[in-house]
Each structure stands twice: as structure tokens, then as C-alpha cells.
Amino acid sequence: MDVFGLVGNPVSHSLSPPMHEAAYDALDIDARYVTFEPAKDGIADAVRGADALGVTGLNVTIPFKQDVVDVVDADDLAARIGAVNTIDFTGDRPTGHNTDAAGVRRSLVEHGADLDGATAVVVGAGGAGRATAFALSDAGSSVRIANRTASSARDLAESVPNASGHELDAVPDLLADADVLVNATSVGMEEDASPVAASAIHGDLTVLDAVYSPLETRLLRDAEDAGATTVDGAWMLLYQGAAAFERWTGHEAPVDAMNAALRSRL
Ligand code: NAP
């Protein structure tokens, strides 16, 4: 039996176990997906221990995504983003990857967005914002990053090809001729708030909200009212999980089964 898991602190409310176990059931794979909650300074020991015990793959979440970069062989994308959310133990040494970027890209593309040559506005410059900015830039978009702490947006824009950094106040102007908007802040999580004024959203946008609790955020309601295409955060969660599953198992992810397991719990 293969053992997979999620390492974070806290992880008790994670939706990853039912999502991945639905994939094992759908493909008749003999595996379990469990959660691990090491001490906040214990990630290096946890990764070594998992490797020694024969764990096949781990997802990584807050607060360890950045620290893990130095503990495993991070691939080029994860190193550029500065965060690892997937560890693969199937080779000689644990390797680190970032499937949040794939989650952003695939969730937009599956909803009809053409990212090559698009203009995208990313609100947020934390972990999700970094993964989003690199994902969109690598897909051929020009990326306008806005953040409450504008210096973080500008610093990030310097390391992302074809990107610029801005203050939050600039978002309405940045959106006027944009094709894609991604909320990569925590604004809207368990609250009826949006980081973007409703009046700035127009019908030519595809709007992805990384926040998935609630599924229908104020931003997505405003986007729907404006006639925009909306993509909720569960799609991003699904496709980052699918990318991790495919890396670990070599099988195409059964996304319908994974999506059903996820949405039944949201
Ligand atoms: P993070 O690294 O802590 O970054 C938080 C971001 O939110 C920063 O840009 C921060 O701006 C901004 N922010 C926080 N409070 C704000 C406020 N009141 N007004 C304006 N901006 C504010 O967190 P993260 O890991 O990037 O996660 C961000 C969100 O994405 C969370 O809701 C998380 O659940 C979600 N997420 C979803 C997925 C998915 O698969 N759907 C994956 C990853 C993350 P400052 O820099 O100014 O503090």
C-alpha cells in the first residue's frame, strides 16, 4: 500500500484527504492519504522521517511551503516561486514541486481562458500570488500584480518575466483592458468582502478567486453580475491536487471523482 499525505500546521480541516482518496477509489489504487502536523520548526525532520518510512508523496501547506524549498531538490518552477507544495519521494532523493501554478493555469483554461497573449491582473503577492504570477507569465500572459503592501508586488514583478507591480488603488485602471483577474489574497475568506470594487469588473473578464470558503465569494458574485466568466477556488484546489496525483502515480487524475468529493464537503 502507498502512503501519501499532507504536512502542515494546522491541517485538521483539510479537504485533500477525501479528494485524493476518491481518486484512489476511482482507479482502484491501494493507497491512503493522511495528514501530518509537525512542530513549526520540525519540517526538515518530518521530510527525512517520511523518506525513511517509505512515504510516496507529500503535499505541503502553511507554514512550511517556503521552508521545504531548502530541504528537498526543488525544481525550477518551485525555486522561482520560492515555495514547494508537493514532494515526490519516488526517486533517489525527495524532489519538490509547485502544483498551485498548474492549479491556477488549468482552472482558467478549463473555463475557456486563452492565457497566451492575455493581460492578467493578480491581486495579492503572498504564496498564492507568487504561484499565480509565475503560472500566468509562463503561459504567455502579461501580468499586473497589485498588493496591499505595494513593495511586495513590485519586488515580485522584478522576478516575473513580463510583469509590473502596483498598489491596490490601481486595480480599477489595471482592469480596464484586462482579460483575466485572479484574487490571490485572503480577502473574502469567511467574510462578505472583496479586494476589488464591483464597478471595476467588466464582462470580458475571466475571474478566478483562490478563496474557496465560501465557494461563492462577494468577488465572484460581483463578477457574475457584470457578466464575467467566474471560476471558484475549488477548481484551483482540484487541479493542484490532480497535478500532484499525476506526478506521484503516473496515472491521469480522475478529476470528476475528485471534484465530486471536494464539492460535497464545501
Ligand atoms: P499569504 O501568503 O499569507 O498572502 C496573503 C495575501 O493576502 C497577501 O498578498 C496579503 O497582502 C493579502 N491580504 C491579506 N489581508 C488583506 C486585506 N485585508 N486587504 C488586502 N490584502 C490582504 O496567503 P496565501 O497562501 O497566498 O493564500 C491567500 C489565499 O489564497 C487564502 O485565502 C488561501 O486559502 C488561498 N489559496 C487557495 C488555494 C487553492 O487551491 N484554491 C491555494 C493556495 C492559497 P500583504 O502582503 O499586504 O499582507
Side-chain angles (χ1 to χ4, degrees), residues 124-128 147-149 168 184-187 189 210-212 233 236-237:
N147 195 47
R148 177 177 61 179
T149 309
L168 273 189
T185 74
S186 47
V187 177
M189 191 164 67
V211 171
Y212 54 82
M236 179 177 164
L237 191 60

Side-chain angles (χ1 to χ4, degrees), residues 37-265:
E37 205 168 285
K40 299 222 159 118
D41 61 353
I43 189 60
D45 287 344
V47 172
R48 274 194 294 274
D51 194 18
L53 290 170
V55 168
T56 306
L58 285 178
N59 285 131
V60 184
T61 190
I62 290 169
F64 300 123
K65 282 183 180 186
Q66 285 80 19
D67 294 348
V68 165
V69 174
D70 298 325
V71 177
V72 297
D73 286 346
D75 71 11
D76 173 65
L77 177 62
R80 284 189 291 145
I81 294 171
V84 161
N85 81 327
T86 300
I87 305 174
D88 184 356
F89 293 97
T90 58
D92 292 342
R93 268 187 47 77
T95 56
H97 313 275
N98 190 305
T99 67
D100 284 336
V104 168
R105 194 170 50 243
R106 188 167 171 193
S107 55
L108 287 166
V109 168
E110 297 275 350
H111 284 81
D114 180 3
L115 300 178
D116 194 8
T119 297
V121 176
V122 178
V123 184
R130 294 185 63 85
T132 301
F134 280 103
L136 295 174
S137 171
D138 284 1
S141 301
S142 78
V143 186
R144 300 165 175 174
I145 307 160
N147 195 47
R148 177 177 61 179
T149 309
S151 56
S152 308
R154 295 199 182 96
D155 288 349
L156 175 56
E158 277 183 22
S159 58
V160 177
N162 208 6
S164 55
H166 307 267
E167 303 181 347
L168 273 189
D169 286 351
V171 168
D173 286 343
L174 299 175
L175 278 176
D177 62 344
D179 309 293
V180 171
L181 166 63
V182 179
N183 173 35
T185 74
S186 47
V187 177
M189 191 164 67
E190 311 296 356
E191 60 176 357
D192 189 28
S194 170
V196 177
S199 57
I201 301 171
H202 56 79
D204 294 334
L205 284 168
T206 299
V207 181
L208 165 63
D209 199 336
V211 171
Y212 54 82
S213 181
L215 263 187
E216 197 187 42
T217 56
R218 160 116 49 120
L219 171 66
L220 292 186
R221 281 203 312 277
D222 291 343
E224 200 159 321
D225 288 348
T229 301
T230 59
V231 186
D232 67 50
W235 292 108
M236 179 177 164
L237 191 60
L238 169 68
Y239 289 124
Q240 66 75 29
F245 175 89
E246 290 176 354
R247 172 171 292 283
W248 292 327
T249 68
H251 295 291
E252 188 179 330
V255 289
D256 290 343
M258 295 170 81
N259 194 30
L262 197 55
R263 283 175 192 274
S264 69
R265 287 163 177 84

